[in-house]
């Protein structure tokens, strides 16, 4: 249990060519990963985008870091806030194009791939609705695979978050704040993979079921740590590899791109080709929900009667 701050407002901390400059909480600063201001700063939170575990593995802690979904942003026009359309940044375009090249077959161009961000998904029974992170379509002529619901979960929360915030605040107050100080290892905080998956489960199951019945496919792009948390729970079922056939569910691991030497700026991301699973959605869900077996011992042992006596069964 130990982590380091890996990125601060889109600047990686493990390169010392340029010292990262602290910014004031509450200020407006451009987010490096989407067309809009950093949402953490606007909430007066430290703009930490990602952290590293002791193993060196990256864990995303900002909802907009992997591939942000907001389709609008607020700008000032004549002293007034106005909401306008947000464009896809080069970072978002790269992530989405990498995903498209992994899940689609055949010949297609970037111009053939279209997305709808935060698309509403109505729920007939309750009258409510969910939102898909992305609906992706492949408009290339003769495309064998087209309609995809794409969900993103690069990481999640950490324990002892205040210790991370306090450390960053301490760094920002230094007379000469250095990247080395900012990336100091913190002993107590840790990543919480279980919470990241639990938050996704209901939406994953409901949205996936709707898309599956509609004839589409669901792609779940997740950080490596979440993939490694999920995979053992389904690997025992020996799910069939349907990549070249009629798959309806795809898990895509996202990892740090180590193909080039580290340089100042954001940590580059890429698809982890060793962590991909193309299979059947219904089989995957049954495997997730069908865990455990008969265990009579849970109804044996020491019990306490409602009148206060110990009872051995």
């Amino acid at each position: 249990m130990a982590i380091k701050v890996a990125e601060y407002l889109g600047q990686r901390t493990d390169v010392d060519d340029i010292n990262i400059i602290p910014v004031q909480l509450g200020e407006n600063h451009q987010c490096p990963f989407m067309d809009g201001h950093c949402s953490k700063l606007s909430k007066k939170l430290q703009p930490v985008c990602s952290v590293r575990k002791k193993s060196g593995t990256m864990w995303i802690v900002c909802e907009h870091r992997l591939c942000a979904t907001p389709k609008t942003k607020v700008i000032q026009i004549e002293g007034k806030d106005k909401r306008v359309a947000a464009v896809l940044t080069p970072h978002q375009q790269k992530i989405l194009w990498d995903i498209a090249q992994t899940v689609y077959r055949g010949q297609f161009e970037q111009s053939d791939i279209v997305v709808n961000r935060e698309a509403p998904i109505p729920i007939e029974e309750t009258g409510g609705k969910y939102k898909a992170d992305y609906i992706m379509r492949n408009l290339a002529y003769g495309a064998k695979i087209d309609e995809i619901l794409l969900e993103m979960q690069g990481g999640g929360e950490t324990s002892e978050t205040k210790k991370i915030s306090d450390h960053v605040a301490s760094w920002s107050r230094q007379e000469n704040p250095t990247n080395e100080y900012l990336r100091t290892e913190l002993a107590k905080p840790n990543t919480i993979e279980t919470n990241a998956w639990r938050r996704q489960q209901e939406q994953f199951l409901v949205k996936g079921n709707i898309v599956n019945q509609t004839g589409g496919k669901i792609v779940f792009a997740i950080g490596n740590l979440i993939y490694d948390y999920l995979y053992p729970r389904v690997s025992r079922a020996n799910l069939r590899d349907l990549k070249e056939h009629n798959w309806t569910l795809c898990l895509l691991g996202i990892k740090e791109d180590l193909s080039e030497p580290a340089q100042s700026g954001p940590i580059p991301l890429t698809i982890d080709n060793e962590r991909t699973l193309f299979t059947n959605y219904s089989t995957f869900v049954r495997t997730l929900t069908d865990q455990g077996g008969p265990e009579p011992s849970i109804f044996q042992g020491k019990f306490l009667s409602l009148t206060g006596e110990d009872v051995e069964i």
Side-chain angles (χ1 to χ4, degrees), residues 128-143:
K129 66 175 66 172
Y130 288 109
K131 285 184 179 179
D133 287 346
Y134 285 91
I135 296 294
M136 180 180 281
R137 301 286 307 270
N138 181 357
L139 305 184
Y141 177 76

Side-chain angles (χ1 to χ4, degrees), residues 95-106 108 113 136-138 143-150 217-221 242-245 247 249-253 271 273 276-278:
I95 294 294
L96 293 167
W97 178 236
D98 285 352
I99 291 172
Q101 289 180 296
T102 305
V103 301
Y104 288 131
R105 301 199 302 268
F108 55 92
I113 307 303
M136 180 180 281
R137 301 286 307 270
N138 181 357
K144 292 183 178 179
I145 303 171
D146 175 13
E147 301 167 338
I148 282 175
L149 180 145
L150 172 59
K217 304 173 188 292
I218 183 167
V219 174
F220 199 26
L242 299 176
K243 183 174 182 178
E244 301 302 325
H245 305 284
W247 61 271
L249 166 78
C250 171
L251 296 185
L252 286 183
I271 304 292
N273 292 319
T276 62
L277 175 65
F278 292 81

Side-chain angles (χ1 to χ4, degrees), residues 30-31 33-37 68 70 72-74 85-89 92 117:
Q30 178 64 41
C31 172
F33 306 110
M34 69 174 180
D35 184 19
H37 294 139
T72 62
K73 63 178 180 177
V74 175
V87 302
L88 290 175
T89 65
Q92 291 168 292
R117 294 164 282 179

Side-chain angles (χ1 to χ4, degrees), residues 22-266:
V23 297
Q24 291 295 315
L25 303 187
E27 288 185 353
N28 285 334
H29 281 268
Q30 178 64 41
C31 172
F33 306 110
M34 69 174 180
D35 184 19
H37 294 139
C38 171
S39 62
K40 285 197 168 186
L41 280 176
S42 66
K43 299 172 185 175
K44 296 190 176 182
L45 301 174
Q46 297 292 351
V48 176
C49 313
S50 65
V51 298
R52 284 191 193 281
K53 290 175 72 77
K54 197 174 185 68
S55 64
T57 307
M58 179 183 180
W59 175 255
I60 290 174
V61 294
C62 174
E63 62 178 318
H64 302 305
R65 172 59 178 96
L66 175 53
C67 194
T69 61
K71 59 173 66 177
T72 62
K73 63 178 180 177
V74 175
I75 62 172
Q76 284 267 320
I77 298 179
E78 297 179 350
K80 296 181 179 180
D81 287 347
K82 183 175 181 180
R83 187 164 292 279
V84 297
V87 302
L88 290 175
T89 65
H91 168 77
Q92 291 168 292
Q93 291 172 339
K94 179 191 181 301
I95 294 294
L96 293 167
W97 178 236
D98 285 352
I99 291 172
Q101 289 180 296
T102 305
V103 301
Y104 288 131
R105 301 199 302 268
Q107 298 295 315
F108 55 92
E109 306 292 334
Q110 264 189 284
S111 57
D112 295 319
I113 307 303
V114 297
V115 295
N116 184 10
R117 294 164 282 179
E118 298 185 347
I121 301 179
I123 310 297
E124 284 187 12
E125 293 84 353
T126 64
K129 66 175 66 172
Y130 288 109
K131 285 184 179 179
D133 287 346
Y134 285 91
I135 296 294
M136 180 180 281
R137 301 286 307 270
N138 181 357
L139 305 184
Y141 177 76
K144 292 183 178 179
I145 303 171
D146 175 13
E147 301 167 338
I148 282 175
L149 180 145
L150 172 59
E151 291 292 297
M152 303 277 193
Q153 183 71 35
E157 63 191 290
T158 62
S159 62
E160 305 280 357
T161 302
K162 188 175 185 301
K163 292 188 184 301
I164 302 173
S165 299
D166 289 347
H167 168 70
V168 176
S170 173
W171 161 80
S172 69
R173 292 192 295 267
Q174 300 294 304
E175 184 176 343
N176 179 31
T178 65
N179 298 357
E180 182 180 12
Y181 185 103
L182 181 56
R183 66 175 180 263
T184 300
E185 188 171 271
L186 306 174
K188 290 288 183 71
N190 199 16
T191 58
I192 310 177
E193 290 87 338
T194 52
N195 285 5
W197 169 237
R198 283 170 185 160
R199 278 203 311 275
Q200 281 286 333
Q201 276 188 68
E202 181 188 357
Q203 294 204 34
F204 175 82
L205 295 174
V206 175
K207 287 187 283 190
N209 189 43
I210 292 171
V211 169
N212 191 44
Q213 292 186 67
T214 310
K217 304 173 188 292
I218 183 167
V219 174
F220 199 26
I222 50 181
N224 273 358
L225 289 172
I226 302 177
Y227 188 99
D228 290 345
Y229 174 81
L230 265 180
Y231 187 74
R233 287 157 174 75
V234 297
S235 59
R236 63 184 177 83
N238 294 317
L239 297 171
R240 294 178 60 196
D241 178 10
L242 299 176
K243 183 174 182 178
E244 301 302 325
H245 305 284
N246 188 30
W247 61 271
T248 50
L249 166 78
C250 171
L251 296 185
L252 286 183
I254 306 291
K255 68 174 183 177
E256 178 179 354
D257 188 350
L258 299 173
S259 61
E260 300 289 341
Q263 56 184 339
S264 296

